[in-house]
Amino acid sequence: MVARPEQSRRGIVLYSRDSEGGTHVVACSRVAIRYGIRPGMSLAEATALQEAEGAVSGSRNASPLGAAEAFQRPEMVGVDTGTPSLSSSSRDPMKEAVKEAVKDERSNYGGLPFDLVEHHPEADAEELARLAEWCERFSPIVGFESLDRYGRECPLRWSHDCLYMDVTHVSSYFGGEDQLARRVVESFSQRGYLARVAVADTLGAAWACARFASRRATVAGRGDQRAVPRVSFSKAGANTGETPCSSFMVVPSADTFTVLQALPVQSLRLPAHICHLLEKLGITQVAQLARLPREGLATRFGEILPRRWDQMFGRVDEVLAAHRPAPQFRTDWSLEHATTDQATIRSILDRLLEQVTHALKQQGRGVIQCTFNLSCSAPVVDSDLERSVLSPLYFRIGLSHPTTSVGHLNELVEMKLERRPLSGPVQRIVVEASLTAPLGCRQRRLFSDGVEHEARHLNQLLDRLSSRLGASNVIRPALVPEAQPELAYRDVPLTVGDEFLGRGVGEVKQREGKGKGDGKVGQSARGAGQIKDEVERERRGRERLKQRRPSGSIRSRRRAGRRLIRPLHLRSPPLPLNVVAVAPDGPPAQLLFGRRSYRVLRFWGPERIETGWWRGRTVGRDYYRLEIVSGHWLWVFRRFSDGNWFLHGTFG
Amino acid sequence: MSGDATPSSRTVDSLRRRLRGFEAKRLAHEGRLISSGCGDLDHRLPGGGFPNGSLIECLGAGSHACGAGLLAMIVARQALEGGGELVVLDPEERFYPPAAWGMGVDLEKLVVVRASRLEEQVWALDQALRCSGVAAAWAPVEQLDERQFRRLQLAVEEGGGLGMLIRSRRWRHAPSWAHFQLLITPRVPVRGGGSGPEDGGRYMRIEVARCRHGQSSGGLDVEIDPASGTIRQVSDRYETHPLYSASQLADPATDGCSARAE
């Protein structure tokens, strides 16, 4: 719409297809809204509304608008203009309203038809990235909003619809925060956009105010100085039911809580299912949530709710991930004639790696993760296009430490290529250092003690193992203060694997302390400096953990010192056992396996573990260490709920 | 040496002692001996410990509960004291790190490698043993052909660490490239039935069945103290019960015949 202003007088409906083949309205223009069309309704309903009035002249196959037009959701979001909302039970009155609206439109716009345009989220993302770059005139740090509020519902990188700017110490150049916010709004208006801008102390508060605060709640804060002011602006009128218009607000630090507590719970950037759950419980406003005991929030609504709360009120830090990625080190090689010759391909890869590492060395950086894209001309012919289809071979290698060693990188590439045969002759090879980190520079010792040599060898070993077996299969375990034995540790991968990629630039995977298998070190494309920071933070966390009073199994272990009271092998799931006990709840005297029985010679226990009620199911077990007549040592437990016995581990 | 030994056997024994002496001097000079954690067991090893760059096969009656893995972990812990890291191969994903922590292994120096296929296990073990930054590798691997075994031997000699292979006793007479072969037999105290921490020792018989630059020795009866994780020699408080273990029956992958053969 920015590129084609004449479209602003037409009714435009953007629709998208979901994974099940259905179509629904994503956004619509003000003209379309007058006809009763709303975002979220099915396309069939929207079409029926228009066909009923003969207002449709476009088609679903209408050529989509360009990127700029597709991005025009800010002008086309669902806005309540007073017409009755469409629902299944109110079609007849709606039709009457639509008739009136159509009559008005025809008289006003000369019967201009509607256009149904398929939504292109990628184009939105591209335009938003361009806008982010343009916004750097207001702040040196501009970033996208984090998408974890969507949970698993919408983990798409093009779902960003809000930009953040860090305006700390910047507002003075514009004459204050008010002037800065006004300038942002005016600049967006000149580009044809409606923007809602909020300046607040935290990202969460700025996001909430930009989206949900009404203009009546606006508090002027001229000259108010804050430590970390943020500017957030989002698509106008979203979720607010207000007529879209540009607006801005500045929230002084002292009034932050007052302003925020009047907002709906959706302003906390929560996933939809949590908002729905809160709504079912009658909690619709932040103020109501504030009255609830904090201890129970995480248990009932998940960890995200207290985290969002703390982020909104500045109790925990939130990273503003800049949209502009770190300088990328990328190089490519196009072959005149595609080839399958391995020696040629390896030679090219070697050269490209040398170029990339040379560029990195210039900046004192090393590769943490490297991406390879080999465009192959596969012997597959697309019948429609009648040409061979390129099926690229795409792989990444992750490293435990930054390196510029071409030989080491080549070795890892060889390993990948051995396991992934080429699908056809290679036409183009692209090598990119997708994650880099500063190289540690240390003065060489005249008489080396071999420690550095060993450390380098160890790092290379970890890289090789992770490259071939996968990052999740080469781990360093870390103890977790958890009484339930199977959750008493978690895996920490030693290299950056593929599971940390595929997210938007600057996305940070939050670590959730869920125990075994869930604990992954979340890395991002922010730069591997943060990786080291995270590892260091984790180490410090463990130190703090050691200093703090431990609970559950850790406490019992501390009491007993480091003792051989846990088995070297743990069964998952535990193996059911038949046990003969002298007393009903007493220790086992005999174990039965099929037709064989084994007398218990010695036992130690019970060690009672009762935990996990907050996870939904209480785990209650009496553990015994047993020495059976053969001299083998077993770890068994009796489950409280039904008295059944299980073999949970063996002592190596 | 028995009194009825022939002159030739005496000569061989004398030469072996001299060879052992040379080897011990060389190893002691280079400071590359790792104690097993039990002085009496060390005395039965040439030089008084396991030399760095050794492959040690711990053969147990059943691979999961007989004590072979425990003994191997204790030796690996000893190897960590000289620096480096411990690599644990975990093919069945049953290794429980808190147990290693309880034995005094620093988890900051522990790397767990999970590989399901045999060739990947051998490759990973080969890579780990070949690395000079690895002090010890702890690996429950059953099937190894001669070529793979030889590869591991060369790898550990290059890397200079310890390779602890935990295997079933059915491989006792199979060709082996290990520098040491230890037979582990679980024992139980004669007066069983105790249930207190003061009576919580774990008893086993360790036999050096094969030893490069040395000769096999008789069994050594030891007790592992759960509180300290130390090994000490004991005398006659236990007896042998060559019966099936529960874990063997519970685990179909474990060879039941090995226990019967004891």
Side-chain angles (χ1 to χ4, degrees):
Chain A
M1 191 115 23
V2 173
R4 294 165 62 183
E6 71 277 6
Q7 290 281 347
S8 61
R9 293 170 62 83
R10 297 164 66 95
I12 298 179
V13 176
L14 280 186
Y15 68 93
S16 74
R17 299 175 195 278
D18 56 30
S19 57
E20 295 173 354
T23 49
H24 63 276
V25 176
V26 176
C28 50
S29 66
R30 268 179 281 184
V31 176
I33 286 169
R34 292 185 190 178
Y35 287 85
I37 296 170
R38 295 286 186 275
M41 70 167 44
S42 70
L43 189 63
E45 279 181 301
T47 311
L49 271 174
Q50 299 169 72
E51 283 174 348
E53 306 306 326
V56 174
S57 69
S59 75
R60 294 184 188 203
N61 297 323
S63 59
L65 298 177
E69 292 89 338
F71 178 69
Q72 284 307 300
R73 281 193 293 172
E75 281 195 348
M76 295 186 285
V77 291
V79 195
D80 186 3
T81 56
T83 50
S85 62
L86 179 66
S87 68
S88 56
S89 60
S90 60
R91 288 198 173 197
D92 292 341
M94 186 67 219
K95 281 183 180 177
E96 295 305 315
V98 167
K99 279 180 186 176
E100 293 300 318
V102 169
K103 197 181 289 179
D104 291 345
E105 289 304 321
R106 283 181 172 167
S107 60
N108 291 339
Y109 303 116
L112 289 173
F114 276 16
D115 277 343
L116 297 179
V117 183
E118 187 163 354
H119 179 221
H120 289 272
E122 300 91 343
D124 276 10
E126 286 173 13
E127 180 62 16
L128 193 62
R130 279 194 287 272
L131 269 180
E133 196 172 332
W134 176 76
C135 282
E136 285 176 349
R137 66 193 57 204
F138 304 115
S139 163
I141 304 173
V142 182
F144 301 117
E145 65 168 320
S146 170
L147 293 179
D148 52 355
R149 71 191 163 95
Y150 291 107
R152 294 178 180 174
E153 297 162 17
C154 187
L156 303 175
R157 68 179 174 83
W158 49 74
S159 300
H160 298 285
D161 52 5
C162 179
L163 291 177
Y164 289 122
M165 285 189 277
D166 188 342
V167 293
T168 310
H169 306 306
V170 167
S171 55
S172 57
Y173 297 106
F174 294 86
E177 290 169 358
D178 282 351
Q179 292 304 316
L180 171 63
R182 190 186 304 278
R183 179 87 172 270
V184 171
V185 169
E186 287 172 359
S187 300
F188 268 78
S189 297
Q190 287 168 7
R191 284 178 67 98
Y193 289 100
L194 300 179
R196 286 171 63 98
V197 178
V199 183
D201 284 355
T202 62
L203 291 178
W207 187 92
C209 292
R211 286 190 169 242
F212 295 96
S214 67
R215 276 161 292 170
R216 286 189 300 276
T218 304
V219 180
R222 184 180 294 275
D224 186 55
Q225 296 297 321
R226 262 149 294 175
V228 190
R230 315 278 192 183
V231 167
S232 163
F233 56 89
S234 66
K235 61 186 183 182
N239 308 325
T240 61
E242 294 179 9
T243 304
C245 63
S246 294
S247 66
F248 68 90
M249 67 180 297
V250 179
V251 187
S253 296
D255 298 325
T256 301
F257 187 75
T258 311
V259 172
L260 294 178
Q261 69 175 353
L263 301 182
V265 289
Q266 286 85 351
S267 64
L268 279 164
R269 295 179 291 167
L270 296 171
H273 69 276
I274 294 181
C275 293
H276 182 65
L277 183 60
L278 287 167
E279 203 171 306
K280 278 172 68 178
L281 295 172
I283 302 166
T284 55
Q285 282 192 320
V286 174
Q288 290 173 288
L289 206 55
R291 287 194 286 271
L292 293 178
R294 182 186 164 86
E295 292 74 26
L297 291 180
T299 309
R300 289 178 172 83
F301 304 106
E303 198 188 332
I304 191 170
L305 200 154
R307 177 155 52 89
R308 286 302 191 202
W309 183 274
D310 290 342
Q311 286 174 346
M312 179 187 263
F313 292 104
R315 290 172 193 161
V316 295
D317 289 336
E318 186 175 5
V319 177
L320 169 53
H323 85 97
R324 188 179 284 278
Q328 293 301 302
F329 301 92
R330 185 175 181 276
T331 181
D332 64 335
W333 187 293
S334 295
L335 288 92
E336 195 170 346
H337 301 288
T339 181
T340 54
D341 182 43
Q342 293 288 327
T344 308
I345 293 168
R346 277 165 173 69
S347 171
I348 293 170
L349 282 170
D350 188 54
R351 284 190 191 187
L352 294 179
L353 280 173
E354 270 183 12
Q355 289 173 14
V356 168
T357 52
H358 179 72
L360 283 166
K361 274 181 193 169
Q362 302 286 323
Q363 299 200 13
R365 302 183 72 84
V367 179
I368 280 282
Q369 189 171 59
C370 205
T371 311
F372 299 83
N373 195 339
L374 282 70
S375 301
C376 303
S377 177
V380 180
V381 176
D382 190 310
S383 56
D384 296 333
L385 300 174
E386 292 184 350
R387 62 176 173 80
S388 60
V389 178
L390 293 177
S391 64
L393 174 62
Y394 183 79
F395 61 89
R396 301 182 180 100
I397 54 173
L399 296 102
S400 57
H401 283 73
T403 183
T404 52
S405 166
V406 178
H408 180 51
L409 292 169
N410 261 329
E411 190 182 8
L412 301 179
V413 172
E414 289 267 350
M415 259 190 261
K416 288 282 185 185
L417 286 178
E418 280 172 7
R419 298 163 66 81
R420 295 187 177 196
L422 297 168
S423 58
V426 176
Q427 284 190 333
R428 186 165 178 259
I429 300 176
V430 181
V431 176
E432 182 182 9
S434 44
L435 197 58
T436 63
L439 284 169
C441 296
R442 195 176 297 170
Q443 188 173 6
R444 285 191 177 181
R445 295 182 181 180
L446 186 58
F447 302 103
S448 174
D449 55 1
V451 175
E452 291 175 20
H453 177 74
E454 288 178 4
R456 193 173 68 247
H457 273 213
L458 186 69
N459 291 336
Q460 291 179 350
L461 168 73
L462 297 177
D463 294 341
R464 280 196 300 272
L465 292 174
S466 300
S467 183
R468 175 154 173 178
L469 304 174
S472 58
N473 287 323
V474 184
I475 57 105
R476 197 185 292 285
L479 292 182
V480 173
E482 171 60 52
Q484 196 171 334
E486 53 267 41
L487 303 179
Y489 77 100
R490 62 190 177 84
D491 299 340
V492 181
L494 290 162
T495 59
V496 183
D498 289 358
E499 54 265 45
F500 304 126
L501 296 178
R503 303 169 72 86
V505 173
E507 278 293 304
V508 182
K509 182 179 178 186
Q510 298 283 345
R511 184 178 302 141
E512 309 283 350
K514 290 177 184 172
K516 182 182 176 183
D518 290 333
K520 304 275 193 240
V521 180
Q523 316 291 7
S524 74
R526 291 175 298 156
Q530 279 91 341
I531 298 172
K532 280 192 163 181
D533 291 347
E534 281 212 21
V535 172
E536 180 62 22
R537 274 201 299 276
E538 185 173 331
R539 191 188 62 77
R540 283 202 293 265
R542 277 202 290 271
E543 291 294 325
R544 280 198 299 274
L545 194 67
K546 286 177 187 171
Q547 291 165 7
R548 255 187 273 151
R549 184 173 177 240
S551 62
S553 62
I554 298 289
R555 187 164 62 232
S556 63
R557 256 181 274 159
R558 174 69 53 82
R559 205 166 41 232
R562 285 193 177 193
R563 299 185 57 195
L564 310 180
I565 58 171
R566 289 289 180 267
L568 266 177
H569 300 97
L570 200 73
R571 286 189 156 270
S572 179
L575 183 75
L577 275 180
N578 287 322
V579 164
V580 177
V582 177
D585 291 337
Q590 207 166 20
L591 307 180
L592 303 173
F593 286 99
R595 294 178 181 178
R596 290 181 179 274
S597 67
Y598 298 90
R599 191 160 55 89
V600 175
L601 286 184
R602 294 189 292 173
F603 68 88
W604 294 266
E607 179 189 355
R608 178 156 295 188
I609 290 175
E610 195 163 10
T611 181
W613 58 268
W614 56 89
R615 284 190 288 267
R617 199 174 61 175
T618 303
V619 172
R621 301 167 181 170
D622 272 343
Y623 275 93
Y624 289 89
R625 282 183 291 143
L626 305 181
E627 183 181 53
I628 59 174
V629 72
S630 61
H632 294 74
W633 280 35
L634 312 174
W635 204 41
V636 303
F637 71 83
R638 183 176 61 80
R639 191 162 61 192
F640 289 174
S641 57
D642 52 11
N644 288 337
W645 287 85
F646 297 87
L647 173 67
H648 204 181
T650 53
F651 282 82
Chain B
M1 201 74 178
S2 59
D4 57 347
T6 60
S8 60
S9 67
R10 276 200 299 272
T11 307
V12 169
D13 193 52
S14 167
L15 289 170
R16 183 176 284 141
R17 270 204 304 275
R18 289 178 64 186
L19 267 175
R20 197 187 303 169
F22 293 145
E23 187 71 14
K25 277 179 190 170
R26 185 180 68 81
L27 294 172
H29 176 69
E30 294 176 7
R32 296 172 61 196
L33 283 176
I34 295 164
S35 167
S36 65
C38 174
D40 297 305
L41 179 58
D42 289 344
H43 285 313
R44 297 175 183 237
L45 302 171
F50 296 110
N52 264 339
S54 297
L55 206 54
I56 303 161
E57 220 180 343
C58 298
L59 304 181
S63 58
H64 285 325
C66 66
L70 182 66
L71 180 71
M73 187 57 77
I74 289 173
V75 176
R77 182 194 63 191
Q78 296 290 119
L80 280 180
E81 289 177 0
E85 302 228 354
L86 170 62
V87 174
V88 168
L89 191 66
D90 186 19
E92 296 179 340
E93 300 193 19
R94 286 185 183 173
F95 177 71
Y96 191 52
W101 180 83
M103 294 171 68
V105 175
D106 184 1
L107 294 191
E108 294 284 335
K109 292 186 173 181
L110 177 66
V111 177
V112 179
V113 178
R114 294 176 183 138
S116 52
R117 293 188 299 139
L118 180 64
E119 57 265 35
E120 285 183 339
Q121 293 168 25
V122 174
W123 175 83
L125 190 54
D126 174 77
Q127 294 289 316
L129 292 175
R130 210 173 283 278
C131 177
S132 60
V134 173
W138 186 92
V141 285
E142 284 294 321
Q143 289 185 337
L144 281 176
D145 62 33
E146 284 189 56
R147 208 170 59 174
Q148 291 168 330
F149 223 140
R150 172 67 173 156
R151 197 171 130 194
L152 295 182
Q153 187 213 21
L154 294 175
V156 78
E157 286 176 355
E158 184 184 327
L162 280 189
M164 308 299 302
L165 304 182
I166 298 102
R167 309 183 77 196
S168 165
R169 190 171 284 198
R170 65 174 163 159
W171 306 104
R172 166 75 179 87
H173 299 292
S176 171
W177 290 91
H179 299 86
F180 296 92
Q181 196 174 55
L182 306 180
L183 299 183
I184 318 296
T185 310
R187 299 295 178 103
V188 294
V190 175
R191 287 168 294 180
S195 62
E198 70 282 355
D199 196 22
R202 184 162 186 187
Y203 302 101
M204 61 181 69
R205 172 177 279 260
I206 304 171
E207 186 181 344
V208 183
R210 193 177 297 171
C211 171
R212 185 186 278 194
H213 306 306
Q215 59 181 354
S216 59
S217 64
L220 177 72
D221 298 310
V222 299
E223 177 191 9
I224 297 177
D225 181 14
S228 60
T230 56
I231 311 173
R232 65 182 180 87
Q233 189 177 12
V234 293
S235 52
D236 57 351
R237 291 184 63 214
Y238 45 80
E239 61 188 12
T240 305
H241 287 267
L243 299 177
Y244 284 109
S245 74
S247 66
Q248 279 175 290
L249 292 170
D251 186 353
T254 308
D255 182 22
C257 299
S258 60
R260 196 164 41 224
E262 297 308 314

